[in-house]
Amino acid sequence: MSQMGELIGNIAHQWRKPLCVISTAASGMKLKKEMGVLNDKDFLNYSESILENSVYLSKTIDEFRDYIEFTNKKKEIIIQDRLKMAISLIESSFSLHNIKIIEGFVEKEKIPFRLILGELLQVLISILTNAKDALLENKIKDKWIKYELIKKEYSLQITIEDNAGGVDEKIIDKIFDSYFTTKDYEYSTGIGLYSSYDIVVNKLGGKLFVENTEHGAKFFIELPLNIDYVI
Ligand SMILES: Nc1ncnc2c1ncn2[C@@H]1O[C@H](COP(=O)(O)OP(=O)(O)O)[C@@H](O)[C@H]1O
Ligand SMILES: [Mg+2]
């Protein structure tokens, strides 16, 4: 449930701005018309901004529909696209909190992967949300997260690093346990990393682990590439 909450929270955040633009344009247009000062140029500007933003909303609905529907069918996706989608979901809330998103090395060659839609997105969102929580909790000044995607011979590796100071060594062995949390906010149930671990390790046959770097926590998601794709 909290996973869904995190996902919906990010979508809601991303939609707030275009929705606000649409309602501002519609009410501005109405007001000007009522006052008899709506000229053709205003009318076109308002209409265009309404149109542009509604197209954007409907496009994102299409993109996310697949993720919200919990179909249990595996589908072939392109890893880079899923990574981009996760980033685009958290982008606006990160920029609101002045968290810079740094794209490190990202493999250019498209990497196909078979999985159940939503699985990887959920893992990425959980890790990114945790990074945001840690950056805010520790009141870091120049906040950033950095992501990378590296293709190895038989696997691919996605890493997400933050500069929030890292996971406390006293609890680092427990963070993937179910219900383990150090937070007391309403939506923190301590299942984000537990369920991410379940997806990456048990469902996708990969590895999920964390290391503390000189900056903060760095999460590694390692997924085995199907032999078909390696050849
Ligand atoms: N990027 C991070 N930096 C520091 N601590 C982290 C980070 N990510 C996770 N943690 C720690 O791992 C714990 C478990 O994370 P998670 O399973 O997502 O649960 P929750 O976010 O609800 O606390 C967090 O409470 C936090 O103490
Ligand atoms: Mg979490």
Side-chain angles (χ1 to χ4, degrees), residues 129-159:
T129 307
N130 282 341
K132 181 184 81 182
D133 292 344
L135 287 163
L136 298 179
E137 210 167 284
N138 298 334
K139 301 193 169 62
I140 305 297
K141 249 183 108 202
D142 297 309
K143 302 179 270 297
W144 55 257
I145 63 112
K146 180 180 177 184
Y147 65 94
E148 296 197 290
L149 172 63
I150 297 161
K151 188 179 175 200
K152 299 185 170 181
E153 203 176 353
Y154 299 110
S155 66
L156 63 94
Q157 187 178 68
I158 298 171
T159 58

Side-chain angles (χ1 to χ4, degrees), residues 130-131 134 162 166-167 171 175 180-183 188-190 192-193 217 219:
N130 282 341
D162 61 59
V167 186
I171 58 145
I175 62 169
F180 179 82
T181 181
T182 54
K183 302 168 196 170
S188 297
T189 49
L193 289 180
F219 283 84

Side-chain angles (χ1 to χ4, degrees), residues 12-73:
H13 193 93
Q14 204 196 18
W15 283 2
R16 204 160 287 144
K17 176 130 185 288
L19 281 172
C20 176
V21 172
I22 290 172
S23 62
T24 309
S27 58
M29 186 151 64
K30 185 167 173 273
L31 191 70
K32 285 202 171 181
K33 180 75 187 163
E34 279 166 4
M35 292 181 353
V37 293
L38 184 74
N39 60 35
D40 286 354
K41 194 169 156 264
D42 285 342
F43 176 74
L44 280 176
N45 283 341
Y46 282 131
S47 316
E48 267 164 24
S49 108
I50 291 174
L51 192 66
E52 188 184 276
N53 280 282
S54 16
V55 169
Y56 169 80
L57 288 177
S58 90
K59 189 174 136 276
T60 48
I61 291 174
D62 288 345
E63 281 175 2
F64 299 135
R65 191 182 41 212
D66 282 347
Y67 292 90
I68 296 164
E69 272 173 12
F70 278 97
T71 55
N72 277 333
K73 280 194 214 93

Side-chain angles (χ1 to χ4, degrees), residues 1-215:
M1 239 1 248
S2 92
Q3 294 315 294
M4 206 53 185
E6 271 176 10
L7 196 60
I8 306 257
N10 280 292
I11 293 174
H13 193 93
Q14 204 196 18
W15 283 2
R16 204 160 287 144
K17 176 130 185 288
L19 281 172
C20 176
V21 172
I22 290 172
S23 62
T24 309
S27 58
M29 186 151 64
K30 185 167 173 273
L31 191 70
K32 285 202 171 181
K33 180 75 187 163
E34 279 166 4
M35 292 181 353
V37 293
L38 184 74
N39 60 35
D40 286 354
K41 194 169 156 264
D42 285 342
F43 176 74
L44 280 176
N45 283 341
Y46 282 131
S47 316
E48 267 164 24
S49 108
I50 291 174
L51 192 66
E52 188 184 276
N53 280 282
S54 16
V55 169
Y56 169 80
L57 288 177
S58 90
K59 189 174 136 276
T60 48
I61 291 174
D62 288 345
E63 281 175 2
F64 299 135
R65 191 182 41 212
D66 282 347
Y67 292 90
I68 296 164
E69 272 173 12
F70 278 97
T71 55
N72 277 333
K73 280 194 214 93
K74 282 202 176 188
K75 223 181 141 172
E76 189 171 291
I77 52 99
I78 300 293
I79 289 286
Q80 284 93 337
D81 294 348
R82 301 309 100 177
L83 186 57
K84 234 195 316 182
M85 181 173 286
I87 297 295
S88 78
L89 264 175
I90 51 97
E91 223 162 34
S92 61
S93 91
F94 273 45
S95 86
L96 186 82
H97 293 290
N98 289 316
I99 303 170
K100 204 166 135 198
I101 300 170
I102 304 169
E103 181 179 294
F105 177 82
V106 172
E107 179 67 48
K108 293 234 161 39
E109 182 202 335
K110 301 250 178 234
I111 308 171
F113 195 80
R114 283 187 74 76
L115 44 66
I116 292 169
L117 285 177
E119 283 180 335
L120 185 62
L121 191 72
Q122 190 180 307
V123 173
L124 295 169
I125 295 286
S126 282
I127 294 173
L128 289 163
T129 307
N130 282 341
K132 181 184 81 182
D133 292 344
L135 287 163
L136 298 179
E137 210 167 284
N138 298 334
K139 301 193 169 62
I140 305 297
K141 249 183 108 202
D142 297 309
K143 302 179 270 297
W144 55 257
I145 63 112
K146 180 180 177 184
Y147 65 94
E148 296 197 290
L149 172 63
I150 297 161
K151 188 179 175 200
K152 299 185 170 181
E153 203 176 353
Y154 299 110
S155 66
L156 63 94
Q157 187 178 68
I158 298 171
T159 58
I160 297 171
E161 184 182 5
D162 61 59
N163 69 332
V167 186
D168 189 342
E169 293 291 347
K170 287 193 229 78
I171 58 145
I172 203 162
D173 295 334
K174 301 197 187 96
I175 62 169
F176 296 102
D177 293 354
S178 72
Y179 305 120
F180 179 82
T181 181
T182 54
K183 302 168 196 170
D184 53 8
Y185 346 132
E186 199 187 340
Y187 285 108
S188 297
T189 49
I191 61 157
L193 289 180
Y194 168 74
S195 118
S196 299
Y197 190 89
D198 183 48
I199 291 172
V200 174
V201 178
N202 301 330
K203 300 209 173 102
L204 302 174
K207 286 183 198 156
L208 176 65
F209 56 95
V210 66
E211 276 174 14
N212 281 330
T213 69
E214 57 179 309
H215 309 291

